[in-house]
Structure formats: structure tokens, C-alpha cells
Amino acid sequence: MLPVQAVMVPKCGYIRKAVAVATRPDPAATVEIELDGLPGGADAFEKAARYCYGANFEISARNAAALLCAAAFLDMQPADGGLARRVEEFLAQAGLRTLPNAIAVLRSCEGPLLTAAEELGVARRAADAVALRICNEVLFPTRSPPEWWASELAALSPVSFHRVFTALRCRRAGPEVLVAAATAYAELLLADGKASDHRALLESVVAVLPSADDAPLPAAFLCRLLHDAVTTEASAKTCRDLELRLAAVLDQATAGDLLAFAFDGAGERVINTESLRRVIAAFVERESGAGRNRRASLSGAAALGAGALQKVAKMVDEVAAEIATDESLPISKFVGVAGAVPKDARATHDCLYRAVDIYLKAHPELDEIEREKVCSVMDTLKLSYTARLHASQNKRLPLQAVLSALYYDQLKLRSAGVGHDDEDNDARSEAGSARMQAKADAALARENEALRSELARMRAHMSSGMQQSKGSGSRTAATAAVAGKKASFFGSMSRTLSRLNPFRAGGGWSKDTSSIRESRGGAMNVVKPKRRRSSIS
């Protein structure tokens, strides 16, 4: 309650009307007027009173908006222009002419003054002035470094920043300006935020970030935001928004960015595998939809999309190899990340095999079925010769994967002389064909020697299971029949491999070897298997 001074009545329409109503019954009564709703509070009223009394007072960028709102509330608009006119002159001459002052005016519109500032348009004018000064700084820098203006935005609240960003878009600022403003604001604001309100602040910042169409934010920046969102247990809406934003630019990320997001702050424990899997799945879904649209477009665009998917697949393999070292990582989470990219997106599965081998080495207690689940994310037929050779000697792999690598590699070597493509001029000539055949024969001989020892070890490993499923008498008869035949080494080896063929039951894959001829008059020599070294780690 404030005592009304007669000197303010002529210059304040609000007070004049209140006095007229209060003194109608008793003109000599003392009038007290409540001004609890005055914008700017006691400080604004004091300066308004000083103006009415003709006393000096200071108008600054911090109180200009409050004085303008207070003048409008008190209806101070006499014939001489009043307080509102003096504040407008200050804003035009100094308050909105520089970036720091414009930000100070916009910041003063926050809090209790926000509603009144919005009604008068002060907040909109201040935000537009900030956007204009930023655009001028981008075109004609006045300080060093050129993007010094980005740090000034950290003083704004998320609501005020959203106003500035909207004004930048209306002024058609470039994407690089929008990205610089958004990233600098989020990083500085979250870095200065207290731990107690970090979650709420993060959710507010994410809510005002530009869309991917306006300004695709850097993948590394989004990984940091998503890591903070998961760590602080932000709302599901916030986390999903960041996941979709990251999926849109996942091909621009690096394995280091994803690892910084997947691991905890100490980099020792994997915590974000589910979010990582959803991000990869969203990217694959986007690429699949874009791939269908590219079928009717130019081939160059389709190649670009395929390259992005292959890049992400390689990056995912690197990430899978790193998270595989976590001894507490369940099989389902490892398979969820490594298998989020389709198998056919990879030209070769060597990197994926490395990740699988690392996981099996870090989890030696897995049984045969669990190891098969781990290996289900890769295709042994897409391994290179070196990787298949390593897989055939890898004791950590399940038996099914080893047999697949052995069987496919042997068939490929045996049919090497039949299905050659003419790769050079030597292959077209008789001399070139002879040289290629000699090389193939030498490779085949070496592979046969290694395969013979490997099969002997496999046969001993599988003997117990075969004895339970078949009678000993029938097996002895079959063995005697095979030993009595005069067949070449290639014929015997083909029959042995056909029994070990891992694809025989499923019927999903087979290879025609009918064109391969057996050697004449040669009987198979039984060679005692050599002791093999342990697999290469």
C-alpha cells in the first residue's frame, strides 16, 4: 500500500482513476492504492515517481524494459510524451544498438516481467535486435575470435534463446550461424548449470534446439547431450528426440563419438547400449526408406547412400570390438549393437569377426549354445581367406562356425581351376593358364595337408556324439567299405567333407562339385595327424 501524492495524479492515468473512485463518497478521505501488479516492482515505481517530480534518474539496458512496462501499467502518457517516450528514445539510441545491450534488455524481460514485456512487444523487439547484431557480426566481424557473439547467448534463458533463434531464421541466417548459436548456447549453459538443476536445464535446452532441417547439429555434440540425458535420467521425450537427431547425422560421427556416449564418465563400464542400438536402428530405417526413394533417382545418389551405410557398419564394428571387452556385458546387448546393421551392408565381415573373437576371449565361460548366439551376427562365408584361416584354427569359436569356414574354403580351393575369370593377359594364354594351375595345385596341396590334420581333430571331437546316434556295427561296415575302395585323395576328402557339411541339414546353401574329377589309380594314404599349435589370438 502506497500513499498517493497529488503530484503523480495528473501524470498517471491509473492513479487518477483509482483516486476518483476512492474519493467519490468522501472527497477529503486519504487514498491508498495497491500496486502489487506493477511490472518492475518498487524500483520501477521509484523511477516513475522521480520522473513525475522532475528528479534525475538513470535509464539503462537492465531497467529499460521494466520502466516501459511500468509506464504502460500506470498509463503515463501525457501530452509531453511521458516516461514511455524517454525509454523508447533510449532503446533506439543505445539500448538496442549493440549486441551486449540488446541481450541485457532481452534478459531483463525474463521472469515476472515476461508477460507484460510480451504484451508490449519489448521481448520480440529485443530478440530481433540480437539476431540483427549477430548477422552483422557474421558478415562484418568487429572482434576476435569471429564467433565471440556465441558466448554472449549463454546469459539467456531457454525461452529467450528460442526467441533469438526464431528471429535468426526470420532473417534467413545461414545454417552455420544457427549451428554455432545452438551448440555454443547449449555447451555454455549446461557447463555452468548446477548439478541439482542439470536435468531440468538439459530438457529445456533440448526443447529449443533447432530442427534437423533448419540446422543439423554436429554428431559429436549430440553424443555428449545424449550421454548427459541418459546419465541424468532425463525424460523419455528428451532422450528420444536426441536419438532421432543423432540418427539423422550418424554417418558423420566417429567411433570415438559413439564410445564416449556408450561408456560411463570413467570410460570403464558400458551403460548406453540400448540407446546406441536404437540410434543405429533409426539410421538404418532412414537409409532403407531413402534407398527406396533413390531407386528412381540417379545412380550417384544411390551410391552415396550405400557408402553412408557401409561407413556406419564399419564404425559399428569398431564400437562392438571396444564394448566387447566389458566382462559384464550380456550377450543380448552385444548382439543388439553388432547386429543392428544388416549383414549385407558389409562387404566383408573381418572387422565383425574381430569383435566376436574379442567378446569370446573376454567371456571364456560361455557354453556352445551361447557362443553360437554371439557368432550369429556374422557370416563366415563373407570372411576373407586370412580371416577364414584364423577362424578354422580358433578354439574359441563354436564347432559349427569352424566347420563352415573349413568346408567353404576347401570347396573354393578345389573349384579354383574350374571357375576362373580372365583377370589378366597371362590367364588367356596357355602359358599363363599353366602357371595359374600350378599355383592352384600348390595352394591346394598345402590346404589339404592342413585340412587333413584339422579333420582328424574334429573327427576325434565328434566321435562320442556319432557313437550315440549310430550303431558301432554299421559304422564299422561303412568304414571298411570306404577303405576297400580305390579312390583318390580328392574323392575321399569330398565324401568326408559331405558328412561334415554344416549346410546339409538346412538346405539353404550348397555347392556343385560334380565337375571336379578324381585322380586315377590313387588310393588314399592314411597319415597320422600332426599336433597343431594353438590358434592365433
Side-chain angles (χ1 to χ4, degrees), residues 399-484:
L399 182 61
Q400 186 74 13
V402 175
L403 291 179
S404 300
L406 285 171
Y407 186 80
Y408 176 76
D409 216 27
Q410 181 66 11
L411 285 180
K412 190 173 181 180
L413 282 173
R414 291 183 60 189
S415 59
V418 178
H420 279 307
D421 291 329
D422 295 335
E423 297 179 357
D424 50 29
N425 295 330
D426 290 342
R428 298 190 186 96
S429 64
E430 184 177 353
S433 298
R435 285 195 296 271
M436 294 180 67
Q437 185 63 39
K439 292 180 180 179
D441 292 341
L444 182 60
R446 290 193 299 269
E447 185 63 21
N448 285 338
E449 183 65 25
L451 185 59
R452 189 182 297 114
S453 300
E454 193 70 30
L455 288 175
R457 183 177 67 84
M458 294 299 173
R459 190 179 294 110
H461 179 75
M462 298 175 60
S463 60
S464 59
M466 294 174 66
Q467 287 176 0
Q468 294 177 2
S469 61
K470 295 184 179 180
S472 60
S474 60
R475 189 180 67 255
T476 304
T479 305
V482 173

Side-chain angles (χ1 to χ4, degrees), residues 11 42-60 63-64 66-68 70-71 76 82-90:
K11 295 184 178 181
D43 183 70
F45 181 80
E46 178 188 358
K47 288 181 172 54
R50 284 177 174 272
Y51 168 78
C52 293
Y53 278 92
N56 293 329
F57 62 94
E58 181 184 6
I59 301 177
S60 65
N63 63 22
L67 290 176
L68 194 62
M76 301 178 65
L83 180 60
R85 182 174 180 178
R86 290 186 57 179
V87 175
E88 290 287 358
E89 291 177 353
F90 168 79

Side-chain angles (χ1 to χ4, degrees), residues 14 236 271 442 519:
Y14 179 86
I271 59 173
S519 301

Side-chain angles (χ1 to χ4, degrees), residues 214-239:
D214 291 334
L217 300 176
F221 168 71
L222 291 174
C223 284
R224 293 196 298 270
L225 284 185
L226 187 53
H227 182 274
D228 289 347
V230 175
T231 304
T232 59
E233 298 181 353
S235 65
K237 181 180 181 298
T238 299
C239 294

